[in-house]
Amino acid sequence: MAHNITTDTPHLRVHGVAGSAKAYEIRDFLSRSVVDYDWIELDDSSANTVPGVNTLSDPRLPACEFPDGSWLFSANLHDIADRLGWVSSPKLKEYDVSIYGAGPSGLSAAVYAASEGLKTVLIERHAVGGQAGSSSLIENYMGFPRGIGGRELAERARQQAVRFGAEILHLKEGVNANFVGDRIIVDLGDGGRITARSNICATGIEWRRLDVPDEDRFLGRGLFYGAGFSEAPMCTGERVFVIGGGNSAGQAAIHFAQYALEVIMLVRRGDLGEQLSDYLVRKIRAKHNVQVHTNSEVVTVEGGGQVESITVRNNLTAETRVFETHYVFACIGGQPNTNWASHTHILRDQRGYLVTGNDLLRDGKLPDTWSLSRLPFHLETSVPGSFAVGDVRHGSIKRVATAVGEGAMAVAFVHQHLAQT
Ligand SMILES: Cc1cc2nc3c(=O)[nH]c(=O)nc-3n(C[C@H](O)[C@H](O)[C@H](O)COP(=O)(O)OP(=O)(O)OC[C@H]3O[C@@H](n4cnc5c(N)ncnc54)[C@H](O)[C@@H]3O)c2cc1C
């Protein structure tokens, strides 16, 4: 079932060179942000179709062409977002609630907070949708019996939040939090600052790295973190590797199988079903062009300017084997985005997840830094009025539905907190 949504963004043309990491970043961002675009891959004979460009190494590439005929050269995400009218500064001096992260949990919090009359600002450092924005088809979210694309779900929520009056600040990152009296002041990476009476941290998780030699050199040049939605059509006729055995890897393998000649899933564990939902295991087994290599992990990535091959070790036999490929997608789980909390009184667990509610109690006692006589609300961190929702929270379920539910629930606690301050 198609759930097409309409947006008022223009249709762009992105011109660049195959294997360009910058061009990949742009495609990924536009695709997640539900902006229609054509990718024009240049070669020696077509480089001069971009004004002022004669060679493929010209620094004016990648270039973006807008429907009005104007161009953006040496294009980057910030400049593109600016041209789309998405870059703005906070409109208010103070908000009732500031929400960090526009994945499912942050979007849900924004929809409920704004719809209930709270002055709401939502801050997103990259593309709206978070991890869900890279999901080709979410099949287990209630109400969509044939599934819904993660980008569509997120874009619908974004439109809904804006309609209710939430302000969204794109490509801005919360980097530092200060708790002054009953106000929360967050510094943004670009020098701005947001003051609010409460905040909701919905910053989710980011991909764990493979930790193989030279991996930075290949990032966006054949080695990708995440499900690589924007890259799938380019994998037509290719051999694609998907690393990981969880649901995100399983979904990616099924999606790439529509385009690639063959998809090989590399799974570290001995059985595909150990981490993967049953419905995905069945779908993968039914795909003639998906192979699963268990007990396997990548040990090196090789190539010149782009990935050309990988070496895979079988952990049972210790044998290694080299495979030629230009596309490797690593979906090997994540770690929480909570470095900003390290100098605050917000308690994190050993893996960096934010601890909330009853989990703050140790031998029946709250942390010394808890300043109120009442107990923390469920979803409230060790700092009153500061909440955590979704994947970033200690003990979270890592599902779209639970992230959405927590976002909505946190808003009810925000109301109670504000009524007491
Ligand atoms: C490929 C893939 C497929 C999936 N499929 C399913 C599925 O079918 N069903 C299902 O239930 N779940 C699925 N999941 C899991 C689900 O997407 C996550 O559980 C869900 O997205 C968590 O939502 P979240 O809002 O807590 O965090 P995230 O989605 O991780 O969003 C966090 C957001 O915060 C932003 N951010 C981080 N730090 C900052 C900062 N300092 N300032 C501002 N912004 C910041 C990030 O850029 C990101 O946009 C899938 C995940 C992936 C990766």
Side-chain angles (χ1 to χ4, degrees), residues 172-251:
K172 302 220 187 268
E173 179 168 13
V175 291
N176 197 18
N178 290 294
F179 303 92
V180 183
D182 54 10
R183 296 294 186 270
I184 299 168
I185 301 168
V186 172
D187 296 323
L188 303 179
D190 64 358
R193 189 169 265 196
I194 305 271
T195 302
R197 298 171 64 205
S198 65
N199 81 341
I200 298 177
C201 176
T203 53
I205 55 174
E206 64 192 343
W207 296 106
R208 233 184 5 244
R209 305 290 288 264
L210 280 176
D211 218 10
V212 294
D214 257 1
E215 87 184 79
D216 282 349
R217 186 157 71 83
F218 294 115
L219 279 185
R221 298 187 167 93
L223 173 62
F224 306 91
Y225 281 92
F229 193 86
S230 63
E231 303 310 282
M234 276 172 253
C235 298
T236 303
E238 297 270 345
R239 172 194 275 164
V240 169
F241 279 84
V242 174
I243 306 173
N247 281 356
S248 51
Q251 251 182 40

Side-chain angles (χ1 to χ4, degrees), residues 100-106 123-127 129-132 134-135 137-140 172-175 202-205 207 227 247-248 251 279 337 340 389-392 398-401 403:
Y100 295 84
S105 62
I123 296 104
E124 169 55 50
R125 69 174 181 181
H126 187 53
Q131 296 168 70
S134 65
S135 169
L137 193 66
I138 297 171
E139 293 193 64
N140 56 359
K172 302 220 187 268
E173 179 168 13
V175 291
T203 53
I205 55 174
W207 296 106
N247 281 356
S248 51
Q251 251 182 40
Y279 77 94
N337 285 314
W340 56 270
V389 294
D391 281 13
V392 75
K398 315 278 185 299
R399 289 275 184 276
V400 173

Side-chain angles (χ1 to χ4, degrees), residues 26 40-41 44 65 88 94 137 171 179 231 245 248 297 309 320 331 346 351 395 417:
I26 293 169
I40 321 290
E41 196 169 293
D44 287 328
E65 188 184 357
S88 55
E94 184 175 289
L137 193 66
L171 290 176
F179 303 92
E231 303 310 282
S248 51
E297 64 184 290
S309 62
T320 56
C331 304
I346 290 189
R351 295 192 297 152
H417 169 75

